[in-house]
Amino acid sequence: TMVVWARTLLLLAVSAAAEDPHLARLRQAAQLQNDGRLAEAVPIYEDVLRQVPNHPDALHLSGLAALAAGDAVKAKELVERASSLRPNDPTMLSNLGEVYRSIGDAQTGVALLRRAVAIAPQDLGVKRNLIAVLWDAQLYAEFCQASRELLEQIGVSLDSPQRAADPNFHFVERRARFDVADSAQRHRCHGASDDDAFRWFEYALKAYPEDARLWIGAGVAAHAKGLLDVAAERYERAYTLAASDTTLAEDQRHAFVLQARVNRAAIDHERGLSELAIEGYEAVLRLEPEHAQALNNLGAALVTVGRHDDAVKVLEKCLEVEPGQVQALTNLAAHWANEGYLERASLLNNRAIKLYLQRDPRRAAGLFAREAFAIRPIVEDAAAMYAARLDFARRVASLEWLLQRRTLIIDDPVVEVEHVHFYLPYPGLDDRPLQEAVARCYERMIPQLAGPVPGLSPEPVRVRRARIGFLSKLFAEHEPHGLLLEGVVQHLPRDRFVVVVLPVASPGRDAASELLRSSADELIELGLNMRENRLTLIKAKLDVLVFADMLSEPMSYFLGFSRFAPVQVCFWGNPLTTGRSSIDYFVSADRMEHPYRTLAGDEWSEQVVLLDGQGIWYRRPSIPEGLPYPNREAAVAARQALGLPQGDWPLLLCPQSVFKLHPHFDTVVRRILEATTNARVVFTAGRRQAWTKVLVSRLEKTLGPYKSRCAFVPRQMPGADYYKLLAVADVLLHPFPFGGSRTSADGLALGVPVVVRPTTQLRCRMAYSFYASMGLTQKNWTLVASTTNDYVSFAARLANDVEHRRTVAAAVAARQHVIWEDRSVVLGWARFLARVSGQRPVAPADVGLEGDDYEAEDEAPVAPADVGLVEEDAAAIAAHERLDRLYRDDTIIEEKRRALQPQKPIPDVPRERSDQPRPPEALEAARLYEQGDIRGAARQLEMLIKRCYPQGGADCPDEAKVRSDLGAQYHQSDRWEEAVVQLERAVELEPTNGVALNNLAVTLNTLGRADEADDVYERALRAVKARMAPSATGFEEKLLGVLSDKDSWDYATALFNSANQLRDRGDYEGAASKIRRGLKEVIEGDALLALVRAENHRSRDDARLASLRQLGIATNSLAVLDDYLRNASENWYSSQAFPPPYSLLGRDEGPPSDEELAPLGGEATGFELITQVYEPADQVRRMEVAFALAKNLRNARIRKVHVLAENGRDGRFASTVAALVGATHVHVQILGRRLRFSDAEGYAAASLPRRAVILSNADVFFDEDSLRRLGDARTLDLDRRVLALLRWEWTCGFDVEGMDLKTLVAAAAATDAIEERCLRLRARADSQDAWIFRAPVPPLATFDTELGRAKCDNRVAFVLGAAGYDVANPAFALRPRHVQRVLFANGTAPPPKAARSYTSPDEARGATRYVPLADQWVF
């Protein structure tokens, strides 16, 4: 905190001063004021001013007295008057600057004090005031430089303990030393580093060892370098000295004591001594109950020890005391994110981001990472899971795109980010693309931590034992990752290895288990300070560093970006790839990696090391006495202690963490309950109550009438109570696609059958590996299922058939001994570590294995069932060959359909709210416009203008807006000259009206006045840009969305129309230049950066989201036009025009297969297609229409094609094509006119009631895969929902010269094999070429516009939305193909389509709405 140099002057002698009769009295008053006797000084100033009202010294001193009395407004008035009388007096300028600083106008204060320093560069008081106001103005670099200059001026060097020669300067020196070193430590001093800060504080302490402030600053500098012992000692010294530091006021002494004690407690917190830290914070709060930093730190410590409710109360109290306490905001946000309330967390994070950008923009980077990588622990249903995953991918892609263009640096990610995306792998999908993208983002954001550390030698070890480090925060007693590595640490041959265990501090318990402590050659505990841990790891000089996990907590995760050893390895504590180049190997096991896993692409970015056999070491557990229960009666009686219902019923227990339970597994549970008579499924509650509530709600929806047979028991801590819970179970249900290892092993130890369903991924193959060791993988044991159906039937049989269950349980109990303390696992580790560290080979005897026994085990033949997933059933074999995707079945698809969530309609344009009543004419005009009556709407606005202007009225709106609207409606009514008059008047009234300028330019262009239109477009761009606040052009401001959405919309629209005009005139280069400008200034400036902010994806009804989406439409249009001009070969969504989230999603997230859809009711039923086929005169176009019709007739997902032909000739053409295809499912009806939307709706309502209908143009066709994604057309949820689909362009042309229809039909069939290579998406939001709905759709009954008319699709979207229909455009998933100008004749490719804007004299009239692309196929 700055202590301001508030100088009260004693008057300087001037030439006229000797003749001033008031000088002596003013000197006397000034001395009184300096002595603190303000009440005696003020009357003297007032008396002088009564005699000489413009006496500059009296005004000046009186102003300073007012400032001292707290009246800053009066002080400003008086000192300004004084300074105006002596404009070049540096003392008056200096004190006037101080007055402005006191009223919060630091910028003006800086300007005044810079003038004062320029006039009197040697005046220390003036310079000190400048330093104070520079701090308030957040001009930190200049603040630091001015402080350094002050030290030089008094003859002091930062790199010397020598004090200033003049004792009068010592106070100034102490403050300046502190300011410079503190600024360097905060990275606010240009060219200075943490090392400089530390050194400068060292010299300052030697110069002034009695200064408590310097001891605190020196402690912070040591703390930042990770020197926690040094920092602790300095904090302790600080609060000892502060109590007696005479240079501090009483309140300052008290504040410094408390600050030092809070900082000292923070050291304990970072060392993992959370309870001790809590005691320290509470001691401070007993002295100062509203100490904000102590409250925040206490809240964080309470979270660390699991006291979440207490933490929330403390953090909320902290924010009551200090609403701007950034750390409290982020800590509370972290709590709510962990609870699963990401929206609430985002609100808090964004408050913190705003504060950071005001105070310390560098610190905001960590919060952007938090927002970008946030994941909910548990979701409500499958649709929410897929949507959340897509949302995560989109945010990651957006941030990566941003980081390629901007620099965001995180100094300490453990503190600033604090959390990792731990919940990413639980959907059971391919996470490699996402993991690699997240790693790329962090490598850009923490470049100082990425790569090799200093002094690292890449040479392998040959002449000494290799130093092998094992690092994790989960090495404490009973922690699974420590249990998995205990045997390795204990039995690695010590003649080759020095084993170093590196546990990260774990609050409230020893960081490492007793066995790990006693087995390690060296135990080096790591704290919670990133910098200190880095120094510790560098000093450890490891040859190989093994991370037991890398996604469980932030310390291991972020340490893993550095290379501390020549070889770095990750173990499967988190069973997914790290995605980063700093990790060389990933240790797995042969049985835990499916043999077909690499067929569709490897999920690992590292080299995978496959240990032989089981691959899992666990020491034999110590089972409590009395377990397993001696008889059935004892086991049933024990259930009551757990709060379970009385009775002897089969208990199927799933004791896994709730976030491991995939929504699809809920349906599996229901099927098991359906297949059993009285069995119950029991789950353990989650670590957080909020998680359990989500799962309970989810299960209630899925289980329906069976929910009464589902129960929850409290989560049990490891030990006797945990084993008692497992022992009451008849069967353990091992969930998929994410399972567990330790829980399964403990169940087997008690002889409880565990039903498993291994997938292709390591994360669900651990329990299977145990059964392979036990020889219990054959189907007759009903333990290892290869399909979901098998899983259900196995669990049901074990529940229903008591004798069978006893037989299986006895076999499990008899064979479970083979899975414990498997020395072959140690041998595999030893051989691997010896190889990568340059040691000589390891023999079985080196790890305590008998060589003969080991070789015999290696050579033993493996029965087919022991391979894991080889079955006689051909269907099962086929299923396994598809194991590159998540296992889904009919119940999953049914659940997904039930989970479909309607999308909210999106407002057409951002609207400003106003409390002003709307006049009746305006309301009627809006109603008529929405109905398409443009002329009627214009008449209403004419009446409004006549009534309101110029005479006015209470309900009269802004005239410029009314005339702008009238001009737009004149334009749509083809009254272009009148439109120009109204729009020019609107611009005259409001020169910065971007909408009016844009509409005026469009109208001038329509009239052929292109040069005038160009000028008006430029005026529009300048006007909108001028309306934007200057600060809104800065990167940080845009990240906060300070830039008005409406301004951005106007700007993007003007750019789009201006570029379209140039394109229409053939000036492609000019159009391209405009669009590049638009992409830079709009996409980079707003829309893309907004994507990084997670709350923008989770909003539902928020107007901010509507505006953001509308802005997205504009940027979409810009990207599309740029794409058109470049004619790039790649798809738009995978180009550089916009971030490509789909490239980060795993290959598993595709549509269900035919096999998975079949159980929905036999062969999936199809859709009814309505179209108007016609026979063009042009041969090529005729073939294109026939091509599209033939494709649709061959589509098994289309039940019948209904051709509503304009005339008999067109009808016969359609029938001919159908006959050549051999299709009978075509109905031709002569309509007698061009097809209108009302015709299609009337036909569908009368002939196809309640059927799912596709309406499309004649040159559009569908593929089977797209329609398959919608599932059964009979049950597809189209209740008040319409899908409005953008077309994909068909690009595979061929020569049709001399080709008859029969040959053409055959060619259409032949293209099926190459279809996916023939598609290209020209993404746009203003075009829909196919509509899917369930008849009838009443709003279309009166919509008499023909299909194909310009803007008809935009008008339809508005009409449907206004009627309450959800209109979505999921064209990424449903891909109607458009065939136009792609076939050719005579070997000549068709000429490019004439470029023109999407406007037409006969376009559909009335209000319109764009339908942006939806990002997901689960609608």
Side-chain angles (χ1 to χ4, degrees):
T1 303
M2 288 298 302
V3 177
V4 178
W5 177 283
R7 186 175 181 217
T8 315
L9 82 163
L10 290 172
L11 296 177
L12 299 175
V14 292
S15 57
E19 302 174 5
D20 186 345
H22 305 289
L23 179 60
R25 295 187 66 206
L26 289 174
R27 281 179 172 169
Q28 176 192 1
Q31 188 59 57
L32 290 171
Q33 184 172 338
N34 279 342
D35 292 342
R37 297 159 64 184
L38 191 63
E40 299 176 50
V42 169
I44 298 175
Y45 300 147
E46 292 173 345
D47 184 57
V48 171
L49 288 173
R50 277 193 296 271
Q51 299 178 51
V52 185
N54 286 327
H55 194 292
D57 293 323
L59 287 168
H60 185 196
L61 289 167
S62 186
L64 295 180
L67 181 63
D71 190 346
V73 174
K74 182 178 180 181
K76 174 176 172 291
E77 175 192 351
L78 292 168
V79 179
E80 277 186 335
R81 284 176 58 194
S83 183
S84 67
L85 297 169
R86 287 188 192 157
N88 293 319
D89 186 317
T91 304
M92 289 186 180
L93 287 171
S94 173
N95 285 322
L96 182 58
E98 170 60 19
V99 169
Y100 270 99
R101 189 190 72 82
S102 69
I103 63 175
D105 187 355
Q107 297 297 334
T108 301
V110 168
L112 290 165
L113 279 154
R114 283 172 177 163
R115 280 182 57 200
V117 169
I119 295 169
Q122 300 304 312
D123 189 318
L124 292 182
V126 171
K127 183 160 288 187
R128 192 66 188 140
N129 272 2
L130 173 62
I131 290 169
V133 78
L134 287 170
W135 175 274
D136 283 10
Q138 299 182 26
L139 298 172
Y140 298 120
E142 188 178 349
F143 166 85
C144 182
Q145 183 59 31
S147 298
R148 297 178 78 165
E149 290 172 357
L150 185 148
L151 288 170
E152 292 175 5
Q153 188 173 331
I154 62 176
V156 170
S157 169
L158 287 165
D159 287 308
S160 169
Q162 189 66 41
R163 295 187 181 194
D166 187 344
N168 292 323
F169 294 153
H170 285 178
F171 177 77
V172 175
E173 177 193 345
R174 291 162 67 167
R175 289 310 319 278
R177 280 184 182 267
F178 177 89
D179 289 344
V180 175
D182 181 63
S183 295
Q185 188 273 320
R186 296 171 186 261
H187 305 132
R188 292 171 172 173
C189 208
H190 182 69
S193 65
D194 287 344
D195 291 335
D196 292 324
F198 184 81
R199 186 178 70 257
W200 291 339
F201 270 122
E202 288 288 302
Y203 286 121
L205 286 176
K206 291 177 181 177
Y208 296 98
E210 72 281 7
D211 192 311
R213 186 199 314 267
L214 288 173
W215 281 102
I216 293 178
V220 172
H223 203 154
K225 285 176 63 65
L227 304 174
L228 299 191
D229 290 337
V230 175
E233 183 270 329
R234 290 178 175 178
Y235 292 145
E236 291 167 1
R237 185 76 176 272
Y239 61 70
T240 300
L241 287 172
S244 58
D245 189 338
T246 57
T247 65
L248 300 174
E250 180 62 33
D251 59 336
Q252 288 180 315
R253 287 199 291 271
H254 179 67
F256 281 8
V257 167
L258 297 181
Q259 185 63 58
R261 296 187 69 171
V262 168
N263 289 3
R264 178 60 185 85
I267 296 288
D268 291 330
H269 191 174
E270 293 188 21
R271 283 175 167 161
L273 305 173
S274 299
E275 295 294 348
L276 195 58
I278 289 171
E279 291 178 12
Y281 298 137
E282 289 177 339
V284 171
L285 291 170
R286 283 193 291 272
L287 297 172
E288 180 59 65
E290 295 190 345
H291 194 287
Q293 189 176 352
L295 287 167
N296 168 72
N297 290 9
L298 175 60
L302 291 170
V303 168
T304 305
V305 298
R307 294 167 57 186
H308 302 292
D309 292 341
D310 292 338
V312 170
K313 293 176 183 177
V314 170
L315 291 170
E316 288 177 344
K317 181 180 179 181
C318 176
L319 291 172
E320 290 175 8
V321 172
E322 187 180 325
Q325 227 290 345
V326 179
Q327 289 80 13
L329 287 168
T330 59
N331 285 334
L332 198 54
H335 164 77
W336 291 121
N338 284 329
E339 289 278 297
Y341 300 108
L342 296 192
E343 296 85 352
R344 189 181 298 185
S346 282
L347 292 174
L348 293 164
N349 277 334
N350 280 281
R351 282 174 59 188
I353 287 172
K354 290 180 181 180
L355 292 168
Y356 268 142
L357 292 178
Q358 294 168 7
R359 304 172 186 172
D360 190 356
R362 187 182 179 100
R363 293 294 301 275
L367 293 184
F368 285 122
R370 286 195 194 194
E371 286 288 277
F373 304 139
I375 302 181
R376 288 186 62 190
I378 184 170
V379 294
E380 293 83 359
D381 50 43
M385 184 196 73
Y386 292 122
R389 188 170 170 84
L390 173 63
D391 178 41
F392 180 81
R394 177 169 44 199
R395 284 182 273 124
V396 173
S398 301
L399 182 59
E400 185 174 14
W401 195 93
L402 166 64
L403 291 170
Q404 293 169 4
R405 292 153 178 81
R406 307 286 187 186
T407 299
L408 290 174
I409 301 298
I410 300 173
D411 293 323
D412 187 341
V414 172
V415 173
E416 296 173 47
V417 182
E418 190 176 352
H419 296 277
V420 294
H421 46 291
F422 170 74
Y423 303 102
L424 177 64
Y426 292 99
L429 301 169
D430 179 4
D431 299 309
R432 177 176 176 177
L434 283 169
Q435 280 286 79
E436 289 177 336
V438 173
R440 288 193 298 270
C441 289
Y442 275 127
E443 284 166 357
R444 288 179 177 271
M445 298 176 85
I446 52 173
Q448 74 280 13
L449 303 181
V453 296
L456 180 65
S457 172
E459 294 299 319
V461 179
R462 298 191 186 279
V463 296
R464 60 173 173 81
R465 293 187 298 163
R467 293 177 58 79
I468 313 296
F470 292 89
L471 187 153
S472 177
K473 193 176 181 179
L474 300 175
F475 279 168
E477 208 71 53
H478 301 297
E479 286 287 2
H481 303 174
L483 295 173
L484 284 165
L485 290 170
E486 282 178 343
V488 180
V489 170
Q490 187 176 13
H491 298 296
L492 279 177
R494 293 313 201 259
D495 61 335
R496 292 169 179 80
F497 307 114
V498 175
V499 179
V500 182
V501 172
L502 299 146
V504 179
S506 188
R509 57 183 173 181
D510 290 335
S513 68
E514 181 57 37
L515 182 57
L516 284 175
R517 287 177 175 274
S518 61
S519 301
D521 299 310
E522 297 178 22
L523 185 96
I524 304 175
E525 292 198 22
L526 303 177
L528 302 180
N529 183 281
M530 180 82 168
R531 290 183 176 88
E532 182 183 48
N533 288 346
R534 282 174 55 82
L535 294 174
T536 300
L537 287 171
I538 292 171
K539 292 176 183 177
K541 295 189 179 301
L542 300 170
D543 299 301
V544 180
L545 176 56
V546 179
F547 290 87
D549 50 81
M550 202 172 275
L551 198 60
S552 294
E553 49 83 32
M555 186 60 72
S556 298
Y557 181 82
F558 289 115
L559 286 173
F561 281 97
S562 302
R563 182 172 287 279
F564 297 101
V567 176
Q568 298 200 149
V569 181
C570 190
F571 185 47
W572 57 263
N574 300 120
L576 76 168
T577 185
T578 66
R580 60 186 85 169
S581 59
S582 57
I583 304 300
D584 307 298
Y585 299 96
F586 192 98
V587 175
S588 183
D590 193 28
R591 289 184 194 153
M592 292 193 292
E593 296 293 334
H594 192 274
Y596 301 153
R597 69 179 172 84
T598 59
L599 286 181
D602 200 343
E603 294 185 9
W604 306 105
S605 61
E606 309 83 2
Q607 172 65 51
V608 178
V609 178
L610 299 180
L611 304 179
D612 289 336
Q614 179 174 291
I616 302 174
W617 166 285
Y618 278 135
R619 59 176 149 134
R620 188 184 306 274
S622 178
I623 303 297
E625 186 177 352
L627 298 181
Y629 292 106
N631 52 55
R632 181 72 180 171
E633 291 72 19
V636 171
R639 295 176 182 178
Q640 297 182 27
L642 295 167
L644 293 170
Q646 294 183 2
D648 185 0
W649 34 263
L651 192 162
L652 281 61
L653 177 66
C654 185
Q656 296 288 344
S657 299
V658 296
F659 51 77
K660 287 186 178 182
L661 302 180
H662 197 290
H664 295 332
F665 190 70
D666 302 351
T667 310
V668 175
V669 173
R670 171 168 178 152
R671 291 179 61 190
I672 292 171
L673 292 173
E674 289 172 342
T676 57
T677 53
N678 63 338
R680 297 174 185 263
V681 177
V682 176
F683 298 92
T684 51
R687 283 201 300 268
R688 291 174 180 255
Q689 188 177 5
W691 299 354
T692 307
K693 286 182 179 178
V694 173
L695 180 58
V696 169
S697 175
R698 206 172 75 193
L699 287 169
E700 287 178 347
K701 293 178 183 177
T702 303
L703 300 185
Y706 301 98
K707 63 185 179 183
S708 61
R709 289 166 56 194
C710 174
F712 280 79
V713 295
R715 182 182 178 87
Q716 304 296 320
M717 296 302 292
D721 290 340
Y722 166 71
Y723 283 112
K724 289 176 182 178
L725 170 63
L726 297 183
V728 302
D730 294 307
V731 180
L732 292 188
L733 296 179
H734 185 276
F736 57 90
F738 201 108
S741 62
R742 185 68 208 194
T743 306
S744 303
D746 287 334
L748 297 175
L750 290 164
V752 181
V754 182
V755 181
V756 304
R757 186 204 190 294
T759 67
T760 54
Q761 296 178 310
L762 162 62
R763 65 195 73 174
C764 200
R765 294 180 64 82
M766 290 85 83
Y768 158 73
S769 188
F770 295 138
Y771 278 135
S773 296
M774 296 164 66
L776 294 177
T777 59
Q778 293 91 340
K779 274 184 131 180
N780 59 298
W781 291 113
T782 64
L783 294 170
V784 179
S786 59
T787 67
T788 302
N789 289 336
D790 281 350
Y791 186 93
V792 171
S793 65
F794 289 179
R797 185 178 178 193
L798 287 167
N800 294 333
D801 189 337
V802 176
E803 289 304 318
H804 174 68
R805 184 169 72 237
R806 287 174 180 162
T807 300
V808 173
V812 168
R815 303 189 189 187
Q816 53 86 21
H817 67 278
V818 304
I819 69 175
W820 308 108
E821 301 177 17
D822 184 355
R823 289 288 182 104
S824 68
V825 175
V826 181
L827 178 61
W829 271 99
R831 285 177 168 175
F832 161 63
L833 293 172
R835 185 171 67 252
V836 298
S837 64
Q839 295 291 304
R840 67 185 187 279
V842 176
D846 294 329
V847 297
L849 271 172
E850 294 297 330
D852 293 341
D853 292 342
Y854 182 75
E855 295 301 329
E857 182 180 327
D858 277 351
E859 296 168 5
V862 180
D866 288 335
V867 176
L869 289 175
V870 176
E871 304 283 353
E872 303 83 358
D873 188 348
I877 293 173
H880 301 151
E881 291 175 349
R882 290 191 300 105
L883 285 175
D884 61 315
R885 58 189 294 121
L886 176 66
Y887 291 87
R888 303 174 185 152
D889 55 24
D890 54 312
T891 56
I892 292 170
I893 302 303
E894 181 181 355
E895 179 204 4
K896 187 181 298 182
R897 181 178 297 107
R898 288 200 307 266
L900 302 181
Q901 299 295 321
Q903 296 183 357
K904 298 288 184 182
I906 301 170
D908 185 47
V909 293
R911 289 190 168 87
E912 297 179 2
R913 296 179 179 177
S914 174
D915 296 329
Q916 182 182 17
R918 295 189 67 188
E921 299 94 335
L923 293 171
E924 180 64 12
R927 187 186 68 81
L928 293 170
Y929 181 74
E930 290 181 357
Q931 292 180 349
D933 184 357
I934 309 302
R935 294 184 180 276
R939 284 194 294 272
Q940 291 294 322
L941 293 181
E942 290 167 350
M943 294 166 57
L944 177 62
I945 290 174
K946 184 175 181 180
R947 176 173 71 85
C948 279
Y949 315 111
Q951 57 269 30
D955 64 345
C956 291
D958 178 67
E959 182 179 358
K961 183 182 184 307
V962 175
R963 292 191 181 274
S964 176
D965 290 346
L966 179 59
Q969 292 174 16
Y970 280 163
H971 178 95
Q972 288 201 37
S973 303
D974 302 337
R975 298 162 65 180
W976 297 314
E977 294 291 354
E978 295 172 86
V980 169
V981 172
Q982 294 298 328
L983 291 167
E984 285 181 337
R985 175 59 178 156
V987 172
E988 180 183 347
L989 291 167
E990 186 182 345
T992 63
N993 188 322
V995 174
L997 285 164
N998 181 70
N999 289 343
L1000 176 59
V1002 171
T1003 307
L1004 291 170
N1005 188 49
T1006 304
L1007 290 168
R1009 295 155 64 179
D1011 291 341
E1012 293 178 65
D1014 283 345
D1015 291 340
V1016 175
Y1017 277 130
E1018 288 301 318
R1019 286 172 58 194
L1021 295 173
R1022 289 195 300 271
V1024 177
K1025 199 162 187 177
R1027 200 165 65 228
M1028 299 176 185
S1031 63
T1033 59
F1035 163 60
E1036 292 84 1
E1037 297 292 338
K1038 289 181 179 180
L1039 281 172
L1040 287 174
V1042 173
L1043 187 61
S1044 161
D1045 293 324
K1046 182 180 183 302
D1047 291 341
S1048 301
W1049 167 256
D1050 293 347
Y1051 192 63
T1053 303
L1055 273 169
F1056 181 52
N1057 288 335
S1058 178
N1060 261 337
Q1061 174 177 302
L1062 293 172
R1063 185 191 69 176
D1064 293 349
R1065 298 207 303 262
D1067 183 3
Y1068 293 102
E1069 288 302 321
S1073 175
K1074 287 269 187 186
I1075 291 307
R1076 300 298 191 283
R1077 170 181 167 189
L1079 290 171
K1080 177 176 176 56
E1081 296 189 6
V1082 180
I1083 288 184
E1084 285 194 15
D1086 263 278
L1088 180 71
L1089 303 186
L1091 288 176
V1092 179
R1093 299 172 59 201
E1095 85 280 3
N1096 283 336
H1097 302 288
R1098 291 188 291 272
S1099 298
R1100 290 295 179 265
D1101 303 305
D1102 188 64
R1104 165 72 183 167
L1105 177 60
S1107 299
L1108 176 69
R1109 285 179 173 167
Q1110 199 64 24
L1111 178 59
I1113 294 171
T1115 56
N1116 180 342
S1117 301
L1118 293 171
V1120 172
L1121 187 53
D1122 178 61
D1123 178 60
Y1124 181 93
L1125 294 166
R1126 288 185 295 111
N1127 197 25
S1129 59
E1130 72 272 15
N1131 282 328
W1132 165 80
Y1133 68 84
S1134 63
S1135 72
Q1136 287 300 308
F1138 219 56
Y1142 286 86
S1143 67
L1144 302 184
L1145 293 177
R1147 59 185 178 276
D1148 300 318
E1149 291 153 275
S1153 67
D1154 282 324
E1155 177 185 327
E1156 292 162 334
L1157 281 172
L1160 293 175
E1163 184 178 350
T1165 59
F1167 293 78
E1168 310 289 338
L1169 172 64
I1170 297 177
T1171 187
Q1172 186 169 62
V1173 175
Y1174 68 104
E1175 184 177 15
D1178 178 78
Q1179 180 207 6
V1180 173
R1181 187 61 179 150
R1182 180 171 176 263
M1183 291 298 188
E1184 288 177 337
V1185 173
F1187 182 90
L1189 178 58
K1191 285 280 195 180
N1192 281 328
L1193 288 168
R1194 295 183 66 254
N1195 191 328
R1197 305 293 174 187
I1198 296 177
R1199 196 188 76 86
K1200 181 174 283 191
V1201 177
H1202 305 263
V1203 178
L1204 304 185
E1206 186 171 353
N1207 52 53
R1209 179 170 177 269
D1210 294 342
R1212 288 189 294 275
F1213 176 67
S1215 297
T1216 300
V1217 174
L1220 291 170
V1221 174
T1224 59
H1225 59 296
V1226 62
H1227 172 75
V1228 178
Q1229 180 171 314
I1230 306 304
L1231 186 62
R1233 65 181 183 185
R1234 186 175 171 183
L1235 180 63
R1236 303 181 180 185
F1237 282 90
S1238 56
D1239 296 329
E1241 199 285 331
Y1243 176 86
S1247 304
L1248 306 170
R1250 302 307 303 160
R1251 297 286 183 86
V1253 175
I1254 301 172
L1255 174 62
S1256 71
N1257 296 327
D1259 54 1
V1260 170
F1261 69 92
F1262 276 86
D1263 67 306
E1264 292 189 29
D1265 283 342
S1266 285
L1267 296 182
R1268 183 191 297 120
R1269 297 184 180 202
L1270 291 171
D1272 191 333
R1274 297 170 302 182
T1275 57
L1276 175 64
D1277 182 9
L1278 288 172
D1279 184 23
R1280 301 189 68 78
R1281 171 179 293 157
V1282 174
L1283 305 181
L1285 302 175
L1286 173 67
R1287 69 199 185 199
W1288 289 63
E1289 298 297 337
W1290 178 268
T1291 62
C1292 292
F1294 50 88
D1295 196 333
V1296 297
E1297 177 65 23
M1299 185 180 291
D1300 59 16
L1301 285 177
K1302 183 176 181 179
T1303 307
L1304 184 280
V1305 168
T1311 60
D1312 290 350
I1314 63 169
E1315 192 158 303
E1316 289 303 317
R1317 292 180 294 179
C1318 298
L1319 297 178
R1320 183 162 183 270
L1321 178 65
R1322 293 187 184 279
R1324 55 194 299 175
D1326 61 346
S1327 177
Q1328 282 73 47
D1329 297 270
W1331 304 78
I1332 300 179
F1333 55 87
R1334 190 173 300 285
V1337 181
L1340 296 183
T1342 57
F1343 190 69
D1344 289 334
T1345 302
E1346 296 94 346
L1347 269 72
R1349 179 184 287 195
K1351 292 192 177 179
C1352 68
D1353 35 15
N1354 309 149
R1355 178 72 182 140
V1356 169
F1358 177 85
V1359 169
L1360 291 170
Y1365 279 72
D1366 287 323
V1367 183
N1369 179 10
F1372 279 126
L1374 308 180
R1375 303 179 175 186
R1377 281 86 158 128
H1378 178 236
V1379 186
Q1380 185 175 17
R1381 309 192 70 80
V1382 65
L1383 304 185
F1384 53 89
N1386 296 319
T1388 304
K1393 185 178 179 181
R1396 73 173 178 85
S1397 302
Y1398 194 47
T1399 57
S1400 170
D1402 63 344
E1403 67 187 26
R1405 307 297 189 182
T1408 59
R1409 174 186 160 192
Y1410 288 169
V1411 187
L1413 283 163
D1415 285 344
Q1416 59 203 61
W1417 72 269
V1418 181
F1419 313 108

